Amino acid sequence: MTGILFDMALCAALILTGWRVLHSSDHFQAVVLFITFGLILALAWVRLEAPDIAIAEAAVGASLAGVMLLDALRVMRSAGKEHEQERRWTNVARLPSFHLFFSFIAAVVVLVLLICAVLELSGRQGGLADLVHAELESSGTKHPVTAVLLNFRGYDTWIELGVLLLAVLGILTIRECSDLRSLAPPVASTIVFETLVRGIMPLVLLVSGYLLWRGGFAPGGAFQAGVVLGAGCILLWMAGHRSLAMLGDATWRILLILGFLAFLALGSSSLLHTGVFLAYDRQYASLQIFLLESAATLSIGTTLAGLVLALQPLKKDLSQANRDVR
Amino acid sequence: MTIWDIFSILFCLAGGVFFLAGVVGMLRFPDAMSRLHALTKADNLGLGFIVFGLCLRSLAVPVIIKLLLIWLTVMLASSTACYLVGNYILQKAEDRPKEN
Amino acid sequence: MTELDSFLVYALTAVTLFALGLHSLLSRRHLLRKIMGLNIMSAGAFLLFISVAHRNGKEFADPVPQAMVITGIVVSISATGFALALARRIRKKTGLTSLDYREKPSPENHNRP
Amino acid sequence: MHHFYLLMAMFLFLTILVGLLRVFIGPTTADRMLAAQLFTTTGTAICLLLAEALQLDGVRDTALVFVILSIMAVAAFVRRLVPKDPGGES
Amino acid sequence: MMVLVVVIPFSGALVCFLVPKRVRRYAGLAAAAATSLMVILFALIPKGADTFHHALGGWKRPLGIHLQADGLSIIFLLLTAVTAFLVSVYAGPYFDSPQEEKTVDHHFWTLWLLLWGGLNGLYISSDIFNIYVLLELVSLAAVALTTLKGEAEALIAALRYLMAAMLGSLVFLLGVAFLYAEYGILDLGGLGGELRATLPTITAFGLMVFGMLIKTALFPLHFWLPAAHGNAPAPVSAILSALVIKSSYFVLLRLWFEIFPSITTYAAAQLLGAMGAFAILWGSFQAVRQERLKLLVAHSTVSQIGYLFLLFPLTVAQITGEHDPSWSMQAWTGGICQAVSHAAAKAALFLAVGNIVHALGTDRLISLRDLKGRLPLSVFTIGIAGVNLMGLPPSGGFVAKWMLLNAVISSGQWWWIPIIVLGSLLTAGYVFLMLGHVFAPSRKPVLLEPVPRTLEVSAFALALCAIFIGFTTSGIIDLLQMELHAMPVPEALAWSLP
């Protein structure tokens, strides 16, 4: 009874915050509510007994996405610089009312249809859970979610790493710079924050490694570990540490593709030996999975950090700004 | 129900009271600077009591270590966060002394 | 019975969030709101997956939807990061904060109202 | 006993719901950010209580991730505005 | 063997990411050649069950992801391989030319090879969630490629494209969630076998089809397409128009004929056909009105997509088994021929237009007059590609439209005839609009930028391919008939558990 009440409170809060995120008048309020939405969603994952996703959501929805949005909001709110080019466009003051009416009707129709469909869902206990548990022994890991991610559906994970790589490449393309070496070194932050980051970094690395190690038998794994690692890199940057700016171009590139490459290498070698792509050797499966996960962790961490860092000021921007000041 | 459980319940309740105080302060205090104080009470004491109550409940060393680690980190992070926000408010006030 | 009920609560929330996100994607102009709308839509889709996983599972939620949702979260954060980068770049190059625009404006009204 | 922790978690969740008011009414950005910070701590406490109530060990890791990354949003929030941050993707 | 068509381009992408800038172009071209060769080899090998079916990781059907190919997959793989190779040949000098100095050290090759691998992956995937991930890969790569020029128009178009693509994928994903909730499996064949006509199933069907329609840019969901295709660099426009659109169309075919054949109705098929008809008319009407060459070609894509959707109303009776299957086979041939010949012709057109823009420095239609008979090969390419789009013999486009008309007549759905005829007339209108400007007297002498020979020849080769499809009509129809027998029948592809 308590449980269902809690569920209802969670869901009501999700809908309330979701609605306010999208329809509050103030953009900053919307971003704060979005962070809160992520937090409530993480609690919902906990209630739904999906701690793996809760960890991921805590790191992504509540922290990383929040940082991205706050950064973007700050930039989009500030008055743009005029020297870039003469402005040829302006925002439309308001949309025609038939547009608003149409979108409202469309959303309501979709909502009604979806609600009917959900109510009609047969309560059949289907799913692949039993199959996963039956094959868990031979998968090389003891945690079912890791087994699905790395073994049964490893192909999806491989392509997902490709998507991550693409996102960073896309951002670099937009910024018209070839790699993260073109970033200007970070600006120094306050001493208090820097001290905190100094103190907390070992903990971040520890937690990242811990999550990676836990993934073999309990909730955790490459993605969660990677997000924590990436967040740690962003923290370092925000605190003004220059260590990341000193990584060489080759290092950046290799770190970015390491996970994708590891999957590719393992898949190809198993294709050569057994004729099956991404098949694990029964004997060494857990070791292979652990190596893959480590590579993926490094890549995911670098990539997610790259998603934020690639948007920071570039060296050429800085010199441009200095010229403008003079 | 053992004596540990009763203490655990008591500590959790105390933590709950501090969280309640935190949220009431967050709503009732007049400006952002004073609301900082409400936040720290909930962070340090509220979570502290709850962590302590849960430690009494579980009595397993790894869990207790993890719980205490969480509490310590929260104290560090939240005091830094409060410092940063406080600093930000001051700077804002310097930039635009007329506003509000 | 209670499991089924909690399944319904979450599944209905899921589709509501999806429709909310869809509505804001269609009706809000500011790019940040559109991007947040897409994120809330994906949160809705993920919630439907996991409520199904919770219903299917016995002592542990069905791991296949969990894995799919983790994959989905990665994909969604990548796309969000990319979309935000594009939005920022557009803001820098043109001063626009939405994709509904007119050409050749009077110079003073390029800032957001 | 489990019910107590679940109730406690629910109570803390209600405080979050009440605290949302502060995000809605503002008035300054700092107020809203402070409220979000309070929610993160409350969320951590809820995670810990739920971990005990549902006997899920992994949930404590969720709480751990929450706390070590909670500082990120605030740090992103207080970063200098564009004029003092020359260049920036502005 | 089959998985190599994905592995090779992905490896090539990584190599291109790591090698120094000087050799990147050659590495990219080598990877493109290797991928094309691999696809051709794969199409030529003797056909047996295990060459067309691969269990990734060795896991059984409902648990693991399986790859499978049929005739349709092979046609799309080949079409991608040929077009993509010629576009790659074009892209090398295009991106190295001094005009493109601005985008130094770009990631074109990495993005493009990842995109190609994703396309190939889509054609052989048989798992709906895997299709979702691949669709995202393809969309992100396509959007990133659109931004390569970095102009404000391109960025705006790219963001609109990204939003549309993400919306399409999310709607598709929600459909996947409904299917998983109802059936507990993700496998194409398995789902097709188990399907019941319940409300959640129909909702999933509607969601997934709608998502793919957004990505395929069927009227009226085409709002994002002209700007994105019109503002990208020439080879990227060719890739987007010729290949990326086709991938979501392919997924739509898979959904319609493999998962949901038991619940598709006559009315739904007629609706798709009607949207296609409006696309044909609206797209070509808009194309005639354009003043910019690239936008004209982009609007022509909107119109040509419409023809692809005439396939659905003309085959739906075959599924219900009410009618003579011979004409639905003609509809299939027509639809697929249209996809293939449009890919080649549209790629050729975009590349040729790219040459002209390269030479003139502008893509105003009016400035075509300044060509004064120079760049004859590119102009000739435009002519050939135009013949193809209009559907004049001898060309792939002619075969496509002829087959579609035959199917229309045999099926008695006479109302499509005026659409097809009118569409061809309007197409002729915008093709002659382009060519008319070329032969009109010029305004003033203009100094042309020299165009590298490779650019002109590769565009011309693509146009020849489009014509070649018309010359080998009977062979292609035989191939289609042989392979497509299996298509509408789920049993032939529903692999039993190993």
Side-chain angles (χ1 to χ4, degrees):
Chain A
M1 194 55 210
T2 328
I4 190 91
L5 275 179
F6 193 29
D7 293 337
M8 285 175 167
L10 271 175
C11 288
L14 277 178
I15 292 175
L16 176 72
T17 42
W19 173 56
R20 293 306 300 169
V21 163
L22 302 169
H23 292 280
S24 60
S25 55
D26 176 55
H27 293 310
F28 185 82
Q29 180 184 350
V31 173
V32 170
L33 281 171
F34 188 82
I35 296 172
T36 313
F37 178 84
L39 183 128
I40 299 173
L41 197 58
L43 294 179
W45 300 138
V46 171
R47 266 300 293 170
L48 288 167
E49 292 171 343
D52 297 82
I53 306 176
I55 298 172
E57 187 73 44
V60 168
S63 305
L64 202 58
V67 170
M68 286 179 175
L69 283 168
L70 281 171
D71 242 21
L73 177 66
R74 198 188 47 199
V75 163
M76 293 186 72
R77 263 190 165 180
S78 64
K81 286 189 199 122
E82 300 298 330
H83 66 251
E84 181 70 24
Q85 73 178 70
E86 197 181 326
R87 300 196 186 288
R88 283 184 288 149
W89 297 286
T90 183
N91 288 313
V92 174
R94 61 167 59 193
L95 291 176
S97 53
F98 72 82
H99 180 96
L100 295 179
F101 178 72
F102 165 75
S103 54
F104 180 72
I105 294 293
V108 168
V109 168
V110 168
L111 180 62
V112 169
L113 180 74
L114 291 179
I115 286 179
C116 292
V118 164
L119 291 177
E120 286 277 309
L121 275 177
S122 54
R124 209 168 69 123
Q125 304 280 309
L128 302 170
D130 295 341
L131 265 174
V132 171
H133 284 285
E135 297 284 354
L136 197 57
E137 281 293 299
S138 49
S139 74
T141 173
K142 294 192 191 71
H143 182 50
V145 178
T146 309
V148 175
L149 270 175
L150 267 295
N151 200 335
F152 305 136
R153 301 184 66 87
Y155 184 59
D156 275 349
T157 310
W158 180 42
I159 291 165
E160 165 216 305
L161 288 172
V163 173
L164 266 174
L165 177 64
L166 269 177
V168 171
L169 289 184
I171 293 179
L172 290 177
T173 305
I174 296 171
R175 301 287 325 255
E176 289 167 22
C177 62
S178 60
D179 56 74
L180 296 171
R181 283 283 278 175
S182 336
L183 291 173
V187 264
S189 173
T190 56
I191 183 88
V192 175
F193 180 54
E194 209 189 321
T195 316
L196 173 82
V197 171
R198 260 173 220 264
I200 221 173
M201 264 326 274
L203 185 63
V204 170
L205 292 179
L206 187 72
V207 169
S208 175
Y210 167 77
L211 286 173
L212 177 63
W213 167 72
R214 288 268 292 188
F217 54 89
F223 178 59
Q224 291 86 345
V227 185
V228 172
L229 190 65
C233 292
I234 297 169
L235 270 179
L236 264 187
W237 191 276
M238 287 198 295
H241 277 262
R242 299 188 166 219
S243 41
L244 284 176
M246 290 173 188
L247 282 181
D249 180 26
T251 322
W252 271 119
R253 288 186 184 230
I254 287 173
L255 279 175
L256 280 179
I257 62 166
L258 194 61
F260 192 76
L261 187 67
F263 268 91
L264 186 64
L266 181 88
S268 310
S269 79
S270 82
L271 189 65
L272 277 180
H273 284 113
T274 61
V276 179
F277 191 71
L278 270 182
Y280 294 88
D281 195 324
R282 279 286 156 86
Q283 222 177 334
Y284 303 109
S286 51
L287 180 67
Q288 285 174 326
I289 285 184
F290 183 74
L291 288 178
L292 269 191
E293 282 208 288
S294 313
T297 302
L298 284 175
S299 264
I300 292 172
T302 321
T303 318
L304 289 179
L307 286 182
V308 174
L309 297 189
L311 289 169
Q312 305 309 315
L314 299 180
K315 280 175 189 156
K316 59 181 180 193
D317 292 342
L318 273 187
S319 51
Q320 174 81 38
N322 287 340
R323 268 203 304 281
D324 288 350
V325 168
R326 277 184 225 127
Chain B
M1 189 175 281
T2 62
I3 184 86
W4 297 113
D5 287 351
I6 292 170
F7 273 112
S8 165
I9 289 180
L10 285 178
F11 274 112
C12 283
L13 284 176
V17 168
F18 276 102
F19 272 108
L20 185 65
V23 82
V24 168
M26 187 59 76
L27 287 179
R28 298 284 300 168
F29 282 175
D31 61 5
M33 273 306 200
S34 47
R35 287 181 198 126
L36 274 174
H37 296 285
L39 176 61
T40 47
K41 298 303 162 295
D43 278 352
N44 298 346
L45 288 170
L47 192 70
F49 275 117
I50 284 181
V51 161
F52 202 63
L54 289 173
C55 285
L56 291 178
R57 165 76 179 165
S58 68
L59 291 177
V61 177
V63 174
I64 291 178
I65 291 176
K66 204 186 279 179
L67 288 173
L68 288 178
L69 194 63
I70 289 175
W71 184 46
L72 278 176
T73 318
V74 162
M75 291 219 290
L76 269 177
S78 96
S79 47
T80 312
C82 287
Y83 165 79
L84 290 176
V85 174
N87 215 3
Y88 174 86
I89 297 170
L90 284 181
Q91 275 188 357
K92 268 265 166 134
E94 270 172 31
D95 288 352
R96 284 179 260 171
K98 288 283 153 60
E99 208 178 56
N100 280 349
Chain C
M1 197 59 204
T2 44
E3 270 110 336
L4 193 64
D5 280 349
S6 95
F7 163 70
L8 268 187
V9 169
Y10 281 107
L12 289 177
T13 310
V15 294
T16 312
L17 287 177
F18 194 86
L20 265 178
L22 182 67
H23 178 236
S24 85
L25 186 68
L26 295 178
S27 69
R28 294 304 305 243
R29 293 186 309 116
H30 199 277
L31 287 171
L32 281 184
R33 300 298 177 105
K34 280 189 194 281
I35 293 169
M36 285 195 260
L38 281 168
N39 269 291
I40 287 191
M41 278 175 85
S42 58
F46 299 154
L47 199 55
L48 185 62
F49 266 115
I50 297 304
S51 57
V52 169
H54 188 59
R55 184 196 66 177
N56 286 351
K58 274 117 203 163
E59 73 262 25
F60 193 80
D62 187 350
V64 176
Q66 290 196 50
M68 290 195 283
V69 168
I70 288 183
T71 307
I73 289 178
V74 181
V75 169
S76 145
I77 190 76
S78 318
T80 305
F82 188 37
L84 284 174
L86 265 172
R88 291 169 69 156
R89 193 73 185 163
I90 288 172
R91 168 76 176 145
K92 176 169 188 180
K93 285 219 157 187
T94 67
L96 292 175
T97 54
S98 82
L99 294 184
D100 307 299
Y101 57 86
R102 285 193 310 260
E103 285 201 37
K104 288 188 186 166
S106 53
E108 71 271 10
N109 61 353
H110 63 262
N111 277 330
R112 200 174 42 80
Chain D
M1 207 51 198
H2 293 171
H3 271 284
F4 169 73
Y5 291 114
L6 200 57
L7 273 174
M8 200 67 213
M10 218 169 127
F11 170 72
L12 291 188
F13 189 69
L14 287 181
T15 67
I16 290 190
L17 282 184
V18 176
L20 274 175
L21 264 179
R22 180 48 70 196
V23 183
F24 293 152
I25 57 183
T28 65
T29 50
D31 289 306
R32 299 199 162 106
M33 208 62 226
L34 280 180
Q37 186 64 25
L38 178 63
F39 297 158
T40 313
T41 315
T42 318
T44 312
I46 295 176
C47 278
L48 294 179
L49 288 166
L50 281 180
E52 192 59 47
L54 306 173
Q55 293 295 313
L56 283 170
D57 200 31
V59 177
R60 291 199 187 92
D61 297 334
T62 313
L64 194 56
V65 172
F66 261 132
V67 297
I68 58 173
L69 301 186
S70 67
I71 190 72
M72 273 179 76
V74 177
F77 164 67
V78 299
R79 291 178 75 198
R80 284 182 181 285
L81 291 172
V82 178
K84 292 185 181 173
D85 183 12
E89 173 75 82
S90 49
Chain E
M1 180 77 180
M2 183 160 53
V3 72
L4 284 179
V5 302
V6 179
V7 170
I8 290 178
F10 279 173
S11 321
L14 293 189
V15 171
C16 287
F17 187 59
L18 290 179
V19 297
K21 194 184 145 206
R22 296 172 270 114
V23 288
R24 194 166 298 158
R25 172 183 160 189
Y26 305 101
L29 197 59
T35 312
S36 301
L37 264 182
M38 185 61 230
V39 169
I40 290 166
L41 268 182
F42 174 63
L44 290 179
I45 50 167
K47 288 141 185 65
D50 45 338
T51 43
F52 286 82
H53 187 216
H54 188 94
L56 289 165
W59 297 106
K60 287 181 199 161
R61 203 51 186 284
L63 183 61
I65 300 172
H66 283 208
L67 303 178
Q68 68 179 37
D70 61 351
L72 196 65
S73 313
I74 291 181
I75 290 171
F76 274 79
L77 282 172
L78 278 174
L79 130 83
T80 309
V82 173
T83 317
F85 177 69
L86 287 170
V87 174
S88 305
V89 170
Y90 182 94
Y94 181 87
F95 282 111
D96 276 2
S97 64
Q99 222 182 31
E100 306 294 326
E101 197 82 61
K102 199 162 66 94
T103 55
V104 277
D105 203 16
H106 51 77
H107 292 289
F108 169 79
W109 287 104
T110 312
L111 294 170
W112 161 223
L113 287 166
L114 282 174
L115 172 63
W116 192 351
L119 291 173
N120 284 351
L122 272 178
Y123 299 142
I124 56 175
S125 178
S126 75
D127 180 286
I128 49 177
F129 187 74
N130 184 239
I131 288 177
Y132 161 75
V133 183
L134 283 164
L135 281 172
E136 287 280 14
L137 180 86
V138 167
S139 305
L140 273 183
V143 175
L145 284 171
T146 313
T147 64
L148 264 177
K149 261 187 184 167
E151 289 159 355
E153 284 93 346
L155 292 177
I156 292 171
L159 185 55
R160 193 170 277 143
Y161 182 15
L162 179 63
M163 298 257 186
M166 275 169 78
L167 176 64
S169 318
L170 279 177
V171 172
F172 185 88
L173 182 67
L174 193 69
V176 173
F178 270 109
L179 281 186
Y180 190 82
E182 192 75 343
Y183 303 103
I185 42 175
L186 297 160
D187 182 73
L188 274 178
L191 281 170
E194 277 204 30
L195 213 72
R196 302 177 303 273
T198 59
L199 184 62
T201 315
I202 295 169
T203 310
F205 168 70
L207 288 169
M208 293 166 93
V209 167
F210 185 75
M212 286 309 98
L213 291 185
I214 295 179
K215 290 200 176 227
T216 318
L218 181 62
F219 179 88
L221 303 169
H222 67 282
F223 55 91
W224 56 268
L225 185 142
H229 289 196
N231 286 309
V236 175
S237 301
I239 291 163
L240 296 181
S241 250
L243 304 177
V244 175
I245 294 289
K246 302 298 184 306
S247 69
S248 49
Y249 177 68
F250 177 87
V251 173
L252 194 59
L253 288 177
R254 277 278 192 252
L255 294 177
W256 195 276
F257 294 101
E258 300 239 352
I259 302 186
F260 296 110
S262 55
I263 64 166
T264 51
T265 58
Y266 183 74
Q270 287 291 324
L271 179 66
L272 277 195
M275 286 163 83
F278 275 112
I280 295 173
L281 299 181
W282 178 256
S284 23
F285 177 63
Q286 286 294 321
V288 175
R289 295 180 46 198
Q290 293 305 312
E291 286 175 356
R292 280 182 53 202
L293 201 47
K294 288 198 76 172
L295 281 179
L296 185 154
V297 183
H299 278 283
S300 148
T301 299
V302 174
S303 137
Q304 295 289 319
I305 287 166
Y307 287 102
L308 297 176
F309 283 84
L310 294 184
L311 188 154
F312 294 94
L314 296 174
T315 47
V316 74
Q318 180 192 24
I319 307 291
T320 53
E322 289 169 11
H323 295 273
D324 177 21
S326 68
W327 48 259
S328 65
M329 198 58 232
Q330 281 174 332
W332 263 106
T333 319
I336 300 306
C337 259
Q338 167 68 15
V340 175
S341 66
H342 173 250
K346 190 48 63 69
L349 201 52
F350 264 123
L351 296 187
V353 166
N355 290 339
I356 290 173
V357 175
H358 181 101
L360 287 172
T362 168
D363 74 336
R364 314 295 301 184
L365 205 49
I366 196 94
S367 57
L368 277 183
R369 296 171 175 219
D370 304 332
L371 277 181
K372 279 201 300 189
R374 287 174 287 182
L375 289 184
L377 197 55
S378 291
V379 172
F380 192 42
T381 307
I382 292 183
I384 295 181
V387 162
N388 220 301
L389 295 181
M390 282 185 269
L392 296 181
S395 68
F398 167 70
V399 176
K401 269 138 213 168
W402 181 251
M403 287 292 175
L404 282 175
L405 270 177
N406 268 339
V408 166
I409 292 164
S410 326
S411 67
Q413 298 180 10
W414 49 266
W415 48 90
W416 305 121
I417 295 177
I419 308 282
I420 296 179
V421 173
L422 199 58
S424 283
L425 283 177
L426 282 168
T427 311
Y430 62 74
V431 170
F432 286 126
L433 197 66
M434 284 192 279
L435 294 178
H437 277 295
V438 173
F439 296 116
S442 71
R443 302 169 300 178
K444 57 183 187 306
V446 170
L447 207 60
L448 292 191
E449 190 82 20
V451 178
R453 204 77 193 139
T454 328
L455 297 190
E456 290 212 279
V457 170
S458 51
F460 185 63
L462 264 171
L464 281 188
C465 283
I467 294 293
F468 180 72
I469 294 160
F471 276 123
T472 57
T473 309
S474 58
I476 285 183
I477 293 173
D478 283 348
L479 180 75
L480 269 170
Q481 276 180 327
M482 184 182 76
E483 301 291 349
L484 284 178
H485 268 312
M487 261 297 291
V489 192
E491 282 83 14
L493 287 170
W495 306 80
S496 53
L497 295 178

